[in-house]
Short mmCIF file of all heavy atoms in Angstrom, two decimals:
data_model
loop_
_atom_site.label_atom_id
_atom_site.label_comp_id
_atom_site.label_asym_id
_atom_site.label_seq_id
_atom_site.Cartn_x
_atom_site.Cartn_y
_atom_site.Cartn_z
N ILE A 1337 -32.99 -5.29 32.72
CA ILE A 1337 -32.14 -6.51 32.76
C ILE A 1337 -31.66 -6.74 31.33
O ILE A 1337 -32.43 -7.18 30.48
CB ILE A 1337 -32.93 -7.72 33.30
CG1 ILE A 1337 -33.48 -7.42 34.71
CG2 ILE A 1337 -32.01 -8.94 33.32
CD1 ILE A 1337 -34.41 -8.47 35.25
N PRO A 1338 -30.40 -6.39 31.06
CA PRO A 1338 -29.92 -6.44 29.68
C PRO A 1338 -29.75 -7.85 29.14
O PRO A 1338 -29.47 -8.79 29.89
CB PRO A 1338 -28.57 -5.72 29.73
CG PRO A 1338 -28.25 -5.47 31.15
CD PRO A 1338 -29.40 -5.88 31.99
N LEU A 1339 -29.88 -7.97 27.83
CA LEU A 1339 -29.70 -9.24 27.17
C LEU A 1339 -28.34 -9.84 27.47
O LEU A 1339 -28.21 -11.04 27.71
CB LEU A 1339 -29.89 -9.09 25.65
CG LEU A 1339 -29.65 -10.33 24.80
CD1 LEU A 1339 -30.58 -11.47 25.20
CD2 LEU A 1339 -29.82 -10.00 23.33
N ALA A 1340 -27.30 -9.01 27.50
CA ALA A 1340 -25.95 -9.50 27.78
C ALA A 1340 -25.90 -10.19 29.15
O ALA A 1340 -25.23 -11.22 29.30
CB ALA A 1340 -24.94 -8.36 27.72
N GLU A 1341 -26.59 -9.66 30.13
CA GLU A 1341 -26.62 -10.29 31.44
C GLU A 1341 -27.39 -11.60 31.40
O GLU A 1341 -26.97 -12.61 31.98
CB GLU A 1341 -27.26 -9.34 32.47
CG GLU A 1341 -27.30 -9.91 33.86
CD GLU A 1341 -27.91 -8.94 34.88
OE1 GLU A 1341 -28.03 -7.74 34.58
OE2 GLU A 1341 -28.26 -9.41 35.97
N LEU A 1342 -28.51 -11.62 30.70
CA LEU A 1342 -29.30 -12.84 30.59
C LEU A 1342 -28.50 -13.96 29.91
O LEU A 1342 -28.59 -15.13 30.30
CB LEU A 1342 -30.60 -12.59 29.83
CG LEU A 1342 -31.58 -11.64 30.52
CD1 LEU A 1342 -32.66 -11.20 29.55
CD2 LEU A 1342 -32.18 -12.29 31.75
N ARG A 1343 -27.70 -13.59 28.93
CA ARG A 1343 -26.90 -14.59 28.21
C ARG A 1343 -25.87 -15.26 29.11
O ARG A 1343 -25.42 -16.37 28.83
CB ARG A 1343 -26.21 -13.96 27.01
CG ARG A 1343 -27.17 -13.77 25.86
CD ARG A 1343 -26.43 -13.46 24.57
NE ARG A 1343 -27.35 -13.47 23.47
CZ ARG A 1343 -27.42 -12.55 22.53
NH1 ARG A 1343 -26.57 -11.52 22.54
NH2 ARG A 1343 -28.28 -12.63 21.55
N GLN A 1344 -25.48 -14.61 30.20
CA GLN A 1344 -24.53 -15.21 31.14
C GLN A 1344 -25.09 -16.49 31.77
O GLN A 1344 -24.33 -17.30 32.27
CB GLN A 1344 -24.17 -14.22 32.24
CG GLN A 1344 -23.42 -13.01 31.79
CD GLN A 1344 -23.22 -12.00 32.91
OE1 GLN A 1344 -23.50 -12.28 34.08
NE2 GLN A 1344 -22.73 -10.82 32.55
N TYR A 1345 -26.40 -16.63 31.74
CA TYR A 1345 -27.06 -17.77 32.37
C TYR A 1345 -27.57 -18.80 31.34
O TYR A 1345 -28.35 -19.67 31.67
CB TYR A 1345 -28.23 -17.29 33.24
CG TYR A 1345 -27.78 -16.30 34.29
CD1 TYR A 1345 -28.01 -14.94 34.14
CD2 TYR A 1345 -27.12 -16.75 35.44
CE1 TYR A 1345 -27.58 -14.04 35.11
CE2 TYR A 1345 -26.69 -15.85 36.40
CZ TYR A 1345 -26.93 -14.50 36.23
OH TYR A 1345 -26.50 -13.61 37.18
N ALA A 1346 -27.09 -18.67 30.10
CA ALA A 1346 -27.54 -19.55 29.01
C ALA A 1346 -27.13 -21.01 29.24
O ALA A 1346 -27.76 -21.90 28.70
CB ALA A 1346 -27.03 -19.05 27.67
N ASP A 1347 -26.08 -21.24 29.98
CA ASP A 1347 -25.66 -22.61 30.29
C ASP A 1347 -26.10 -23.01 31.69
O ASP A 1347 -25.52 -23.91 32.28
CB ASP A 1347 -24.13 -22.74 30.15
CG ASP A 1347 -23.69 -22.62 28.71
OD1 ASP A 1347 -24.45 -23.07 27.81
OD2 ASP A 1347 -22.60 -22.09 28.47
N GLY A 1348 -27.10 -22.33 32.20
CA GLY A 1348 -27.59 -22.63 33.55
C GLY A 1348 -29.10 -22.48 33.59
O GLY A 1348 -29.81 -23.12 32.80
N PRO A 1349 -29.58 -21.59 34.45
CA PRO A 1349 -31.03 -21.47 34.66
C PRO A 1349 -31.82 -21.04 33.40
O PRO A 1349 -33.01 -21.27 33.33
CB PRO A 1349 -31.17 -20.39 35.75
CG PRO A 1349 -29.82 -20.20 36.31
CD PRO A 1349 -28.82 -20.72 35.34
N LEU A 1350 -31.16 -20.44 32.44
CA LEU A 1350 -31.86 -19.97 31.24
C LEU A 1350 -31.44 -20.78 29.99
O LEU A 1350 -31.57 -20.30 28.86
CB LEU A 1350 -31.59 -18.48 31.01
CG LEU A 1350 -32.08 -17.56 32.13
CD1 LEU A 1350 -31.76 -16.10 31.81
CD2 LEU A 1350 -33.57 -17.74 32.40
N ASP A 1351 -31.02 -22.03 30.19
CA ASP A 1351 -30.51 -22.81 29.06
C ASP A 1351 -31.58 -23.09 28.01
O ASP A 1351 -31.26 -23.21 26.83
CB ASP A 1351 -29.82 -24.09 29.51
CG ASP A 1351 -30.76 -25.05 30.23
OD1 ASP A 1351 -31.86 -24.64 30.64
OD2 ASP A 1351 -30.37 -26.22 30.38
N ASP A 1352 -32.83 -23.17 28.38
CA ASP A 1352 -33.91 -23.41 27.40
C ASP A 1352 -34.68 -22.14 27.06
O ASP A 1352 -35.71 -22.20 26.40
CB ASP A 1352 -34.91 -24.44 27.96
CG ASP A 1352 -34.32 -25.84 27.99
OD1 ASP A 1352 -33.39 -26.12 27.23
OD2 ASP A 1352 -34.81 -26.65 28.80
N PHE A 1353 -34.18 -20.99 27.48
CA PHE A 1353 -34.88 -19.72 27.25
C PHE A 1353 -34.59 -19.26 25.82
O PHE A 1353 -33.43 -18.98 25.47
CB PHE A 1353 -34.40 -18.70 28.26
CG PHE A 1353 -35.20 -17.43 28.32
CD1 PHE A 1353 -36.58 -17.44 28.22
CD2 PHE A 1353 -34.56 -16.21 28.50
CE1 PHE A 1353 -37.32 -16.26 28.30
CE2 PHE A 1353 -35.28 -15.04 28.58
CZ PHE A 1353 -36.65 -15.06 28.48
N PRO A 1354 -35.60 -19.17 24.95
CA PRO A 1354 -35.35 -18.83 23.54
C PRO A 1354 -34.61 -17.51 23.34
O PRO A 1354 -33.83 -17.38 22.40
CB PRO A 1354 -36.76 -18.77 22.92
CG PRO A 1354 -37.63 -19.55 23.84
CD PRO A 1354 -37.02 -19.42 25.22
N LEU A 1355 -34.81 -16.55 24.20
CA LEU A 1355 -34.19 -15.23 24.01
C LEU A 1355 -32.68 -15.29 23.99
O LEU A 1355 -32.04 -14.51 23.27
CB LEU A 1355 -34.66 -14.28 25.13
CG LEU A 1355 -34.13 -12.86 25.04
CD1 LEU A 1355 -34.77 -12.13 23.86
CD2 LEU A 1355 -34.39 -12.10 26.34
N VAL A 1356 -32.08 -16.17 24.75
CA VAL A 1356 -30.62 -16.19 24.86
C VAL A 1356 -29.97 -17.04 23.76
O VAL A 1356 -28.75 -17.13 23.69
CB VAL A 1356 -30.14 -16.64 26.26
CG1 VAL A 1356 -30.64 -15.67 27.32
CG2 VAL A 1356 -30.57 -18.06 26.59
N ARG A 1357 -30.77 -17.66 22.92
CA ARG A 1357 -30.23 -18.41 21.77
C ARG A 1357 -29.85 -17.44 20.66
O ARG A 1357 -30.65 -16.57 20.31
CB ARG A 1357 -31.25 -19.42 21.26
CG ARG A 1357 -31.49 -20.53 22.22
CD ARG A 1357 -32.36 -21.62 21.54
NE ARG A 1357 -33.06 -22.34 22.59
CZ ARG A 1357 -34.35 -22.58 22.62
NH1 ARG A 1357 -35.12 -22.16 21.63
NH2 ARG A 1357 -34.90 -23.25 23.59
N ARG A 1358 -28.69 -17.62 20.12
CA ARG A 1358 -28.23 -16.76 19.02
C ARG A 1358 -29.19 -16.89 17.84
O ARG A 1358 -29.67 -17.98 17.52
CB ARG A 1358 -26.83 -17.17 18.57
CG ARG A 1358 -25.78 -16.92 19.63
CD ARG A 1358 -25.19 -15.55 19.46
NE ARG A 1358 -24.17 -15.36 20.49
CZ ARG A 1358 -23.99 -14.20 21.10
NH1 ARG A 1358 -24.74 -13.18 20.78
NH2 ARG A 1358 -23.08 -14.07 22.02
N GLY A 1359 -29.47 -15.75 17.21
CA GLY A 1359 -30.30 -15.76 16.02
C GLY A 1359 -31.80 -15.83 16.26
O GLY A 1359 -32.57 -15.87 15.31
N ASN A 1360 -32.24 -15.85 17.51
CA ASN A 1360 -33.68 -15.91 17.76
C ASN A 1360 -34.29 -14.55 17.48
O ASN A 1360 -33.94 -13.56 18.11
CB ASN A 1360 -33.96 -16.33 19.21
CG ASN A 1360 -35.45 -16.57 19.41
OD1 ASN A 1360 -36.27 -15.73 19.10
ND2 ASN A 1360 -35.77 -17.73 19.93
N ARG A 1361 -35.20 -14.49 16.53
CA ARG A 1361 -35.79 -13.23 16.11
C ARG A 1361 -37.28 -13.13 16.47
O ARG A 1361 -37.93 -12.18 16.10
CB ARG A 1361 -35.63 -13.04 14.60
CG ARG A 1361 -34.22 -13.21 14.10
CD ARG A 1361 -33.44 -11.96 13.92
NE ARG A 1361 -34.19 -10.93 13.26
CZ ARG A 1361 -34.02 -9.64 13.53
NH1 ARG A 1361 -33.18 -9.25 14.42
NH2 ARG A 1361 -34.72 -8.73 12.89
N LEU A 1362 -37.82 -14.14 17.16
CA LEU A 1362 -39.24 -14.11 17.48
C LEU A 1362 -39.56 -12.92 18.40
O LEU A 1362 -38.84 -12.65 19.35
CB LEU A 1362 -39.66 -15.40 18.16
CG LEU A 1362 -39.96 -16.58 17.27
CD1 LEU A 1362 -40.37 -17.78 18.11
CD2 LEU A 1362 -41.03 -16.27 16.26
N SER A 1363 -40.69 -12.28 18.14
CA SER A 1363 -41.11 -11.15 18.96
C SER A 1363 -41.99 -11.59 20.14
O SER A 1363 -42.27 -10.80 21.03
CB SER A 1363 -41.87 -10.14 18.12
OG SER A 1363 -43.02 -10.73 17.57
N VAL A 1364 -42.42 -12.84 20.12
CA VAL A 1364 -43.25 -13.42 21.19
C VAL A 1364 -42.65 -14.78 21.51
O VAL A 1364 -42.38 -15.56 20.60
CB VAL A 1364 -44.71 -13.59 20.73
CG1 VAL A 1364 -45.54 -14.29 21.78
CG2 VAL A 1364 -45.33 -12.25 20.35
N MET A 1365 -42.44 -15.05 22.78
CA MET A 1365 -41.90 -16.37 23.15
C MET A 1365 -42.38 -16.77 24.53
O MET A 1365 -42.62 -15.90 25.39
CB MET A 1365 -40.38 -16.38 23.06
CG MET A 1365 -39.67 -15.40 23.94
SD MET A 1365 -37.91 -15.23 23.56
CE MET A 1365 -37.95 -14.42 21.99
N PRO A 1366 -42.52 -18.06 24.75
CA PRO A 1366 -42.95 -18.54 26.06
C PRO A 1366 -41.82 -18.44 27.09
O PRO A 1366 -40.65 -18.48 26.74
CB PRO A 1366 -43.32 -20.00 25.80
CG PRO A 1366 -42.51 -20.39 24.63
CD PRO A 1366 -42.34 -19.15 23.79
N VAL A 1367 -42.22 -18.32 28.34
CA VAL A 1367 -41.29 -18.28 29.48
C VAL A 1367 -41.81 -19.30 30.48
O VAL A 1367 -43.00 -19.28 30.83
CB VAL A 1367 -41.26 -16.86 30.11
CG1 VAL A 1367 -40.33 -16.82 31.31
CG2 VAL A 1367 -40.89 -15.81 29.07
N THR A 1368 -40.94 -20.17 30.97
CA THR A 1368 -41.38 -21.13 31.99
C THR A 1368 -41.52 -20.43 33.33
O THR A 1368 -40.91 -19.37 33.55
CB THR A 1368 -40.38 -22.30 32.14
OG1 THR A 1368 -39.16 -21.78 32.69
CG2 THR A 1368 -40.11 -23.00 30.80
N PRO A 1369 -42.29 -20.99 34.25
CA PRO A 1369 -42.37 -20.39 35.59
C PRO A 1369 -41.01 -20.27 36.26
O PRO A 1369 -40.74 -19.26 36.94
CB PRO A 1369 -43.29 -21.36 36.36
CG PRO A 1369 -44.13 -22.01 35.30
CD PRO A 1369 -43.22 -22.13 34.10
N GLU A 1370 -40.14 -21.24 36.06
CA GLU A 1370 -38.80 -21.19 36.66
C GLU A 1370 -37.97 -20.04 36.06
O GLU A 1370 -37.27 -19.33 36.79
CB GLU A 1370 -38.07 -22.53 36.46
CG GLU A 1370 -38.72 -23.70 37.17
CD GLU A 1370 -39.95 -24.28 36.45
OE1 GLU A 1370 -40.15 -24.01 35.24
OE2 GLU A 1370 -40.73 -24.98 37.11
N GLN A 1371 -38.06 -19.87 34.74
CA GLN A 1371 -37.33 -18.77 34.09
C GLN A 1371 -37.90 -17.43 34.57
O GLN A 1371 -37.14 -16.48 34.83
CB GLN A 1371 -37.47 -18.89 32.57
CG GLN A 1371 -36.74 -20.09 32.00
CD GLN A 1371 -37.18 -20.44 30.60
OE1 GLN A 1371 -38.22 -19.99 30.10
NE2 GLN A 1371 -36.40 -21.29 29.93
N TRP A 1372 -39.22 -17.34 34.68
CA TRP A 1372 -39.87 -16.11 35.14
C TRP A 1372 -39.34 -15.71 36.52
O TRP A 1372 -38.92 -14.58 36.74
CB TRP A 1372 -41.38 -16.33 35.18
CG TRP A 1372 -42.18 -15.18 35.68
CD1 TRP A 1372 -42.52 -14.93 36.97
CD2 TRP A 1372 -42.74 -14.12 34.90
NE1 TRP A 1372 -43.28 -13.78 37.04
CE2 TRP A 1372 -43.43 -13.27 35.79
CE3 TRP A 1372 -42.75 -13.82 33.55
CZ2 TRP A 1372 -44.08 -12.13 35.36
CZ3 TRP A 1372 -43.41 -12.68 33.11
CH2 TRP A 1372 -44.06 -11.84 34.02
N GLU A 1373 -39.35 -16.66 37.45
CA GLU A 1373 -38.88 -16.39 38.81
C GLU A 1373 -37.39 -16.00 38.83
O GLU A 1373 -37.00 -15.08 39.52
CB GLU A 1373 -39.13 -17.60 39.72
CG GLU A 1373 -40.60 -17.88 39.98
CD GLU A 1373 -41.34 -16.75 40.67
OE1 GLU A 1373 -40.73 -16.07 41.52
OE2 GLU A 1373 -42.51 -16.52 40.33
N PHE A 1374 -36.59 -16.71 38.06
CA PHE A 1374 -35.16 -16.43 38.00
C PHE A 1374 -34.92 -15.02 37.48
O PHE A 1374 -34.15 -14.24 38.06
CB PHE A 1374 -34.42 -17.46 37.13
CG PHE A 1374 -32.96 -17.20 37.07
CD1 PHE A 1374 -32.11 -17.61 38.08
CD2 PHE A 1374 -32.41 -16.51 35.98
CE1 PHE A 1374 -30.75 -17.34 38.05
CE2 PHE A 1374 -31.05 -16.24 35.93
CZ PHE A 1374 -30.22 -16.65 36.95
#
């Protein structure tokens, strides 16, 4: 599941997902249950 595809949902189901935020360099990040399922 490519990052480019995940970014398509940055203004929807993945709006709080740190990975789709520009400039996020963290190698470890939390995922909500809703984000996980999506």
Side-chain angles (χ1 to χ4, degrees):
I1337 302 173
L1339 176 59
E1341 181 179 345
L1342 294 167
R1343 283 193 172 134
Q1344 294 174 9
Y1345 302 103
D1347 291 326
L1350 299 179
D1351 63 345
D1352 289 336
F1353 191 40
L1355 182 70
V1356 299
R1357 290 189 205 130
R1358 294 268 180 218
N1360 188 308
R1361 308 263 314 147
L1362 279 180
S1363 61
V1364 175
M1365 60 192 69
V1367 179
T1368 68
E1370 295 79 17
Q1371 292 163 345
W1372 178 270
E1373 292 299 324
F1374 181 81

